[in-house]
Amino acid sequence: MAVQKLKMASIIGRMNELDEVTLRCGQSEVFHPDNVLSFYSDTTPFVPIGEDNPYTAPLQKLSDACAKIGHPLSFEGAPDCNTEEEDRVLLEYAEAFSSYIEDCLKQKSDSEQKIQELDASLQELAHFTGMDVDLGKIPDCKFVQVRFGVLSKDSYNKLALYNDNPYMAFFPNSSDETSYWGAYFAPTEQIDEIDRIFSSLFFKRINLTGFSGTPEQTIESLLEQRRAAEALIRESDEKLKDYWQQEQKKCQLIFNHLKEKSIYFGIRHYGARYHESFVLTGWIPAKDEDGFRESLEPLESVEYSFENAEAQLEHSPPVRLKNPKLFRPFEFFVEMFGLPAYNEVDPTIFVGITYIMMFGIMFADLGQGLCVSLIGLYMWNKLRMRLGKILIPCGLSSAVFGFLFGSVFGFEHALNPVYHALFGLDDKPVEVMHPATTNLIIYAAVGIGVSLVLIAMLINIYSSIKKKRYGNALFGPNGLAGLLFYGSVVFGLGGQILMGWNVVTTPYVLCFIVFPLLLIFFQEVLSGIVEGHKHWQPASWGEYLTQSFFELFECLLSYMSNTMSFLRVGAFVLVHAGMMMVVFTLAEMSSGIGYLLVLVLGNIFVMALEALLAGIQVLRLEFYEMFSRFFDGNGRPFHPVSARQEQNQA
């Protein structure tokens, strides 16, 4: 239960070498940058380095250009690229590539827009074929105006109401089920009045100005223009295809270079400028110090120093958990609650052991446990779900306790021959539903809870001493005083009830129950004295005593509720046996294939439901009954700048 040892790296150098420093820090893949201004009490001489990332725009241009032609780019890592000349080449290539793509796409887009306009004109002109009129000469008419358009048949019939007006005549040329397409004519001096009347009849005008020749000749001309536009689209597509085939590898390489440089450029924002120099601060694993030194050694103006993270706890060093491979999957649960601080105990191994054990007890079935392990194996190998790696040992634990309880897919006596062959027993060693065994399971569950609570208190004492919180270690509800009180109550009552020991005497109560409670009651005052605080006395003793009374009362309730919460461990053992008993009862109501079908579906239902409930309930016990006693979870993760990690996340 530990976190990886880190060192704080302080780097100072001339501004002209900052790019090289950030590049080497990033390529080391072990440097976690931190805000340098937070390490100095007087930040007046420092100026934050806040330049815009010069690689953001070209990266966006490349990405957008490739996405528009159906070839989205993804980061694939990049070789070293660290000279100013190469920077210029990269930026120029991104500009040239995106410009060529945009030009081709604009040509294609303009042609597509042209085709849409031509199609609209062709559709309109198709209604006027057969008219022996030169459309180009119509605008030259001075005394007569012509209006082409479409009129609904209902409106056409209403023209009869205007028979007294010789100019209210509409000449149809084509029609469909609802409308007529044609034209009307009127003298120039009366055209406004005629337009108003036709507008009231919902006449929709079609503008045929700009065309020349007959409608048939105009249509042929438009079709020729359409074919030319289609040829431009094909030409654009061919140019894009050929250009991509030619530039694909180089474009991907340039994108990789730019992406890598953009990632490493982000390190600059954590630094600060001091006159003509820069200051950069971050964290590296202690084991990588030598390699990190070697990477910075060739830089002439750069000076650096390394300091153990333990000496910089006030700056909250980042945390990377370091656990054996078996327990590494359970870091997932720890991270859900919150990472430990750098000088805090890592609870991963404790979580792994207790979670596997309690899950196995609560979901004790040999057959179903093995199925859960196989499901977990599939979830991890195929779906890459972190939860799968947790289910594998949990399922094996369920199988072990299932063997102990004699349950195989709900068959409670299927393992009797095995017990007889191995141990000479005529029946399984644990009969879950037997009344005497039921009581034993409940007592055992409480015993497990008491043991885990005591262990959590011991961990808290160790963690508090490690963090130099001596008051909490000695006088806290989960410190030495709480351990003495809780252990004395459990030992006294347990010995009295179960063993008949008469240990709960007046001296016992005064020394091991009342005295620890007084220490807890005055924890804040005593902690201040022990830790040497100047203002250890409360501002108001009355308020302090009242507040301490309710806090102590809440503490006593938590001792009881936390202990009783572990009853669910034993309850789930009984629930599993009871649910499988129901499945077999339902199966026995059927026969043949129905019997097997009910057993299979019942096992699947019970396995899914119990695995879910047991997993949730055990996690609840971990978080609320144990984590809360010794774990704050206010650490921050160690995230070194790494192009490879960015590549894996892309």
Side-chain angles (χ1 to χ4, degrees):
M1 297 192 291
V3 297
Q4 188 178 44
K5 295 294 183 182
L6 300 180
K7 286 200 170 185
M8 188 189 78
S10 298
I11 307 171
I12 301 175
R14 305 294 293 178
M15 284 297 299
N16 59 359
E17 287 197 294
L18 178 57
D19 286 338
E20 183 66 23
V21 170
T22 55
L23 184 68
R24 290 173 183 259
C25 288
Q27 289 176 344
S28 71
E29 298 189 331
V30 298
F31 183 71
H32 174 115
D34 213 340
N35 185 3
V36 70
L37 298 180
S38 66
F39 288 82
Y40 294 89
S41 57
D42 182 12
T43 59
T44 305
F46 297 98
V47 178
I49 301 175
E51 301 103 322
D52 292 334
N53 192 329
Y55 307 105
T56 301
L59 268 174
Q60 192 64 44
K61 286 184 177 181
L62 273 185
S63 297
D64 291 346
C66 292
K68 288 177 181 178
I69 61 176
H71 299 288
L73 296 171
S74 59
F75 184 47
E76 298 178 356
D80 295 346
C81 178
N82 53 16
T83 68
E84 292 183 1
E85 181 181 0
E86 287 175 328
D87 263 7
R88 180 181 55 79
V89 172
L90 297 177
L91 300 178
E92 288 177 354
Y93 180 87
E95 183 65 33
F97 181 90
S98 59
S99 296
Y100 184 87
I101 297 297
E102 289 296 332
D103 290 344
C104 291
L105 290 176
K106 187 177 186 307
Q107 176 179 296
K108 181 178 179 180
S109 176
D110 291 345
S111 299
E112 290 173 343
Q113 180 65 29
K114 182 68 174 178
I115 288 176
Q116 290 180 3
E117 295 172 356
L118 291 171
D119 286 344
S121 298
L122 287 168
Q123 185 177 3
E124 292 174 346
L125 283 167
H127 294 291
F128 299 96
T129 55
M131 295 180 65
D132 189 15
V133 58
D134 189 340
L135 299 176
K137 294 181 178 180
I138 290 177
D140 297 333
C141 296
K142 295 182 178 179
F143 304 105
V144 177
Q145 299 293 318
V146 184
R147 300 287 189 261
F148 295 95
V150 57
L151 187 68
S152 69
K153 289 185 175 181
D154 290 340
S155 298
Y156 181 79
N157 294 332
K158 293 178 182 179
L159 288 175
L161 300 175
Y162 300 94
N163 286 336
D164 57 337
N165 190 332
Y167 304 116
M168 285 300 298
F170 183 77
F171 301 94
N173 187 69
S174 63
S175 65
D176 61 11
E177 295 179 355
T178 61
S179 304
Y180 290 109
W181 281 263
Y184 65 83
F185 306 84
T188 301
E189 62 272 10
Q190 296 188 27
I191 192 63
D192 291 340
E193 177 64 19
I194 301 302
D195 284 344
R196 183 186 63 79
I197 297 173
F198 269 97
S199 177
S200 68
L201 295 174
F202 303 104
F203 175 79
K204 182 181 178 181
R205 185 177 175 182
I206 297 175
N207 189 2
L208 297 183
T209 58
F211 300 128
S212 62
T214 64
E216 288 82 356
Q217 293 172 336
T218 303
I219 288 174
E220 183 59 35
S221 174
L222 295 181
L223 288 174
E224 183 63 30
Q225 295 179 43
R226 194 182 192 284
R227 287 189 288 270
E230 289 176 339
L232 283 177
I233 291 176
R234 290 192 297 271
E235 178 185 343
S236 298
D237 288 337
E238 287 297 323
K239 287 168 65 177
L240 289 171
K241 181 180 177 181
D242 294 343
Y243 190 68
W244 175 251
Q245 289 179 347
Q246 173 187 336
E247 300 293 326
Q248 179 180 1
K249 292 182 178 179
K250 186 175 182 180
C251 179
Q252 181 66 63
L253 183 63
I254 297 296
F255 179 81
N256 291 340
H257 279 306
L258 288 171
K259 185 66 176 179
E260 184 187 36
K261 284 180 165 290
S262 177
I263 293 169
Y264 298 154
F265 189 89
I267 299 176
R268 298 167 61 100
H269 297 152
Y270 293 90
R273 182 170 185 153
Y274 181 76
H275 301 301
E276 296 302 320
S277 300
F278 70 87
V279 182
L280 200 61
T281 303
W283 310 89
I284 64 169
K287 63 182 181 63
D288 296 310
E289 179 184 346
D290 292 340
F292 195 74
R293 283 179 181 274
E294 291 178 5
S295 67
L296 298 178
E297 190 66 36
L299 304 178
E300 296 180 358
S301 73
V302 174
E303 298 180 0
Y304 45 84
S305 62
F306 299 92
E307 189 175 1
N308 290 330
E310 287 80 1
Q312 296 291 335
L313 294 177
E314 67 274 15
H315 298 297
S316 183
V319 173
R320 173 183 281 174
L321 301 181
K322 181 182 179 182
N323 290 288
K325 188 175 182 180
L326 174 63
F327 299 104
R328 213 167 291 158
F330 292 92
E331 293 176 357
F332 175 59
F333 287 157
V334 175
E335 292 168 0
M336 286 175 58
F337 190 88
L339 284 173
Y342 186 79
N343 61 334
E344 193 173 16
V345 171
D346 173 19
T348 302
I349 295 179
F350 179 70
V351 171
I353 294 173
T354 55
Y355 194 93
I356 292 172
M357 178 191 69
M358 288 191 289
F359 186 95
I361 295 173
M362 296 167 70
F363 187 53
D365 189 291
L366 177 59
Q368 293 179 5
L370 293 176
C371 289
V372 168
S373 287
L374 293 175
I375 292 172
L377 188 63
Y378 173 80
M379 291 171 64
W380 172 247
N381 286 337
K382 300 297 183 181
L383 307 179
R384 309 309 295 175
M385 296 176 64
R386 296 178 67 182
L387 187 61
K389 295 185 76 174
I390 294 174
L391 288 179
I392 295 172
C394 288
L396 294 176
S397 175
S398 300
V400 171
F401 282 99
F403 178 81
L404 177 63
F405 294 164
S407 180
V408 184
F409 293 114
F411 291 94
E412 296 294 329
H413 298 281
L415 296 177
N416 283 1
V418 178
Y419 296 134
H420 182 74
L422 294 178
F423 310 112
L425 300 175
D426 295 329
D427 202 352
K428 61 180 185 176
V430 180
E431 181 60 61
V432 173
M433 300 304 289
H434 192 278
T437 307
T438 300
N439 292 334
L440 181 62
I441 290 173
I442 297 300
Y443 294 150
V446 175
I448 291 173
V450 169
S451 301
L452 293 179
V453 169
L454 291 172
I455 293 174
M457 289 182 176
L458 290 171
I459 296 175
N460 177 66
I461 294 172
Y462 169 73
S463 180
S464 297
I465 294 173
K466 188 177 180 182
K467 293 187 290 184
K468 298 182 180 180
R469 295 169 56 185
Y470 302 113
N472 187 59
L474 294 174
F475 312 118
N478 298 304
L480 186 60
L483 179 68
L484 183 61
F485 168 78
Y486 185 74
S488 300
V489 171
V490 170
F491 178 77
L493 294 181
Q496 187 84 26
I497 296 172
L498 299 178
M499 308 300 296
W501 299 338
N502 188 19
V503 295
V504 186
T505 61
T506 300
Y508 184 90
V509 172
L510 292 175
C511 294
F512 300 111
I513 297 179
V514 175
F515 179 67
L517 285 178
L518 289 174
L519 294 178
I520 296 172
F521 187 87
F522 291 102
Q523 175 193 355
E524 186 176 342
V525 173
L526 296 173
S527 297
I529 296 173
V530 170
E531 295 176 4
H533 296 164
K534 294 181 179 179
H535 306 288
W536 57 267
Q537 297 187 54
S540 171
W541 279 98
E543 291 181 4
Y544 174 79
L545 294 175
T546 303
Q547 180 180 342
S548 296
F549 171 79
F550 286 105
E551 289 179 352
L552 181 62
F553 182 72
E554 181 184 2
C555 175
L556 294 175
L557 288 179
S558 69
Y559 284 137
M560 182 174 63
S561 62
N562 292 163
T563 304
M564 292 300 102
S565 288
F566 285 91
L567 285 173
R568 70 192 70 206
V569 176
F572 264 80
V573 177
L574 304 177
V575 167
H576 175 78
M579 292 182 69
M580 292 310 303
M581 187 181 297
V582 172
V583 171
F584 276 93
T585 301
L586 294 175
E588 289 169 359
M589 295 179 182
S590 307
S591 59
I593 190 67
Y595 178 85
L596 293 176
L597 185 62
V598 172
L599 281 184
V600 172
L601 294 179
N603 267 277
I604 293 174
F605 174 77
V606 171
M607 181 169 59
L609 181 62
E610 280 203 61
L612 176 63
L613 293 179
I616 293 174
Q617 292 301 324
V618 177
L619 191 60
R620 183 203 175 281
L621 290 173
E622 295 284 354
F623 283 174
Y624 291 99
E625 321 306 339
M626 290 179 281
F627 269 36
S628 59
R629 298 188 177 280
F630 66 89
F631 187 56
D632 294 328
N634 55 5
R636 55 185 179 128
F638 177 75
H639 282 319
V641 176
S642 170
R644 182 169 56 183
Q645 288 183 6
E646 291 277 348
Q647 174 189 351
N648 294 336
Q649 294 171 4

